[in-house]
Amino acid sequence: MPFGNLTLVLLLIALGIFAWLATRSRNIKSFQFQISIFILIWITGEIVDLLGEEGVVELFSTSEIGIYVHVFAMAMFSAMLWIRFYLSEKSGKRIADTLQEG
């Protein structure tokens, strides 16, 4: 089995795992759901990029669609973190990772 096929199989297994985790969380506001969706988008970009490199799928004249999916995933991740930070500041809740003086 060439490494490209092994990578594709492992990516599909990871895709299934994170899809299961996203559906299991059932709450769009939960961090588990949001990070699972981010990882699903990221893995999809990897699969598209791998299939483009192998010449299996030609979506555009250039095979850079995987990069665009990665950029979308990073934009979504950044927006998710900023929105969570903004809502925690607005509600007055403390973020768990803040340093405590003592």
Side-chain angles (χ1 to χ4, degrees), residues 27-42:
N27 184 1
I28 294 174
K29 292 182 180 182
S30 74
F31 186 72
Q32 178 182 347
F33 177 82
Q34 293 171 354
I35 201 75
S36 294
I37 294 299
F38 160 71
I39 293 172
L40 283 173
I41 295 170
W42 188 270

Side-chain angles (χ1 to χ4, degrees), residues 23-85:
T23 57
R24 191 173 143 226
S25 68
R26 296 184 185 154
N27 184 1
I28 294 174
K29 292 182 180 182
S30 74
F31 186 72
Q32 178 182 347
F33 177 82
Q34 293 171 354
I35 201 75
S36 294
I37 294 299
F38 160 71
I39 293 172
L40 283 173
I41 295 170
W42 188 270
I43 292 171
T44 303
E46 285 293 324
I47 291 172
V48 169
D49 193 37
L50 179 67
L51 293 176
E53 286 178 6
E54 297 289 326
V56 176
V57 176
E58 293 289 331
L59 294 176
F60 294 109
S61 59
T62 61
S63 62
E64 295 178 353
I65 188 71
I67 294 171
Y68 296 127
V69 174
H70 285 281
V71 169
F72 174 70
M74 286 289 108
M76 190 204 91
F77 184 67
S78 298
M80 178 188 73
L81 291 180
W82 278 108
I83 289 170
R84 290 181 72 83
F85 175 74

